[in-house]
Amino acid sequence: MWADYYAAIDAAREDVAAGRLSPREQSQRSRELQRDMWDVHVAAVEAGLSTNRDRLAQLPPPEQRFARAWGYTAVEFIAAGDFPSDRDSIGRTQAIILPLRLVADGDFGDGSADLTWHQHMALHAMDALHEAERLTNHALFRAWQEALAEPRCAALCPFILDQALAEELDGLPSYLRSALDVLQGIDRRPAWAVNGSALSCSGSDPSALSCKASGTTRSFTCSLASGVREWSCRTCVADGTAVFVRMFCPAAATNEPGGACSVVEAAEIASGGC
């Protein structure tokens, strides 16, 4: 599977170098490669877990607790959501939420001095999600997979999961359930965020992008989505409410989200960051 994946990367590079792909086709190919990466990654994780079960006990007890939550639950949610694996997105997420050392005694309690608040609480978030999945025989993951079959959730869920890990923390299972209910239910999004809406954006910093929406300039926080020139963004529209937007910016460089952008998908969802 790894060999096939890298062969697909080589083929995509050749097509881009030869000018055979339009910007939209490049984005589509990027999404396909992203999906392929997660498929082979999950297969490798499952193979590793099945052949190394006896080694879990060699880890310190707190690290065992984290390893179970990460390996048996968090990875499958991240992979199913097709979370972006570009260097900027992964580096930012890892720096914010993952402890950069083995988990130790006290990390699941009041926290340790060398962990940030987000790292400490992310341990609780993944632990809570793993425990909820264990008690319900993976009921939330089945709902997550079902929702991802819908275009809106497929476009927005990676960023929503990213936000949930950083914001909702102990309430991660209930937050994901409520987000899925919104994405699968009533259409809640302002008129400027319907599919195909054109936005004029400026700024090269993904964490501080300004876009004109219905004559109003709004501040967006973005991360690179799985497609080239596609961005997952959030803007607050009221206290506690955000519009999550997937945008396609065909004229922009991969690492510069500004320019003329069009809305691919959007949904209005409660956000602890607003």
Side-chain angles (χ1 to χ4, degrees), residues 190-199 247-248 261-264:
W192 59 262
V194 298
N195 292 7
S197 297
L199 303 180
M247 300 193 298
F248 177 59
C261 302
S262 60
V263 175
V264 177

Side-chain angles (χ1 to χ4, degrees), residues 179-204:
L180 294 182
D181 288 342
V182 170
L183 291 170
Q184 293 178 299
I186 299 173
D187 187 358
R188 294 174 52 192
R189 52 185 168 179
W192 59 262
V194 298
N195 292 7
S197 297
L199 303 180
S200 176
C201 302
S202 61
S204 58

Side-chain angles (χ1 to χ4, degrees), residues 49 56 64-77 108 122-140 169-170 172-173 176:
L49 290 172
L56 183 65
Q64 287 185 40
R65 185 174 173 182
F66 171 70
R68 287 192 189 94
W70 178 259
Y72 288 106
T73 300
V75 167
E76 67 179 7
F77 273 85
F108 286 101
L123 290 178
H124 285 271
M126 291 182 218
D127 196 51
L129 183 62
H130 176 65
E131 185 65 10
E133 288 296 274
R134 185 184 68 82
L135 294 174
T136 62
N137 192 28
H138 298 269
L140 181 55
L169 305 168
D170 278 335
L172 181 58
L176 289 178

Side-chain angles (χ1 to χ4, degrees), residues 78-266:
I78 293 168
D82 210 11
F83 192 83
S85 62
D86 63 282
R87 181 168 52 188
D88 290 342
S89 296
I90 288 293
R92 180 182 58 83
T93 301
Q94 288 183 337
I96 291 174
I97 69 171
L98 292 183
L100 303 180
R101 57 160 173 75
L102 289 178
V103 179
D105 290 333
D107 290 347
F108 286 101
D110 295 332
S112 303
D114 64 330
L115 290 187
T116 67
W117 181 84
H118 280 107
Q119 289 168 342
H120 168 59
M121 293 306 294
L123 290 178
H124 285 271
M126 291 182 218
D127 196 51
L129 183 62
H130 176 65
E131 185 65 10
E133 288 296 274
R134 185 184 68 82
L135 294 174
T136 62
N137 192 28
H138 298 269
L140 181 55
F141 182 65
R142 290 195 297 273
W144 180 247
Q145 288 181 304
E146 182 179 340
L148 286 164
E150 299 294 328
R152 181 172 303 177
C153 193
L156 299 176
C157 277
F159 192 53
I160 290 172
L161 178 59
D162 180 28
Q163 295 293 300
L165 286 171
E167 295 175 3
E168 296 303 318
L169 305 168
D170 278 335
L172 181 58
S174 60
Y175 177 85
L176 289 178
R177 288 191 187 95
S178 65
L180 294 182
D181 288 342
V182 170
L183 291 170
Q184 293 178 299
I186 299 173
D187 187 358
R188 294 174 52 192
R189 52 185 168 179
W192 59 262
V194 298
N195 292 7
S197 297
L199 303 180
S200 176
C201 302
S202 61
S204 58
D205 183 355
S207 63
L209 189 67
S210 294
C211 297
K212 281 285 188 67
S214 297
T216 301
T217 300
R218 297 187 177 276
S219 298
F220 286 81
T221 301
C222 302
S223 64
L224 188 65
S226 54
V228 175
R229 302 183 181 92
E230 289 192 17
W231 293 83
S232 290
C233 304
R234 181 197 69 183
T235 183
C236 294
V237 294
D239 289 345
T241 304
V243 176
F244 288 83
V245 186
R246 179 75 168 260
M247 300 193 298
F248 177 59
C249 307
T254 301
N255 60 348
E256 295 181 358
C261 302
S262 60
V263 175
V264 177
E265 277 294 351

